[in-house]
Amino acid sequence: QVQLVESGGGLVQPGGSLRLSCAASGSIFSINDMGWYRQAPGKQREGVSCIDSSDGSTYHADSVKGRFTISRDNAKNTVYLHMNSLKPEDTATYFCATSCAHAAGIVYYVGDPYWGQGTQVTVSS
């Protein structure tokens, strides 16, 4: 059984920064690509960022490219999402998952990954 626990969300002003964390239990972490996703009220879940398990390559959706950075610490079984220059349209619940892929500027998941419970990010003045 794999458990994912996100943290680090909160209220931030436009232009501000946050760092989200996703702590994973279970040995699956080191062999899985890990992704961050978000869902705003009334909208579909959207892929944000993806990090490869083998070489640490990272990929970001066009909507966050240049502002968000994904990283992982395999020793701590934790993946991070560093968010800078936040905009009101970044407001959403952010989830991590044990799957990600990328193509044509979008990030998406495949199969039936494990998901965390989510952490709320609100960007507002």
Side-chain angles (χ1 to χ4, degrees):
Q1 183 73 15
V2 174
Q3 286 189 322
L4 304 175
V5 179
E6 300 97 336
S7 61
L11 173 64
V12 62
Q13 291 187 341
S17 300
L18 281 175
R19 188 186 77 164
L20 306 183
S21 299
C22 170
S25 63
S27 60
I28 194 172
F29 179 84
S30 62
I31 62 173
N32 270 72
D33 299 339
M34 294 293 295
W36 281 99
Y37 302 81
R38 65 186 182 186
Q39 188 167 19
K43 294 188 176 181
Q44 289 190 330
R45 191 165 296 190
E46 171 192 21
V48 176
S49 300
C50 176
I51 186 163
D52 188 276
S53 62
S54 59
D55 63 5
S57 298
T58 60
Y59 309 92
H60 302 277
D62 285 347
S63 58
V64 304
K65 197 171 293 181
R67 300 188 297 121
F68 290 12
T69 303
I70 187 172
S71 63
R72 67 192 295 164
D73 185 336
N74 286 343
K76 295 183 178 180
N77 279 5
T78 301
V79 62
Y80 303 98
L81 185 66
H82 307 261
M83 306 186 295
N84 298 315
S85 302
L86 283 161
K87 304 175 181 180
E89 51 263 44
D90 294 318
T91 295
T93 302
Y94 284 70
F95 302 86
C96 61
T98 57
S99 169
C100 67
H102 60 94
I106 64 170
V107 171
Y108 58 96
Y109 66 91
V110 294
D112 186 19
Y114 291 98
W115 293 91
Q117 84 290 347
T119 186
Q120 177 67 36
V121 172
T122 302
V123 185
S124 175
S125 54

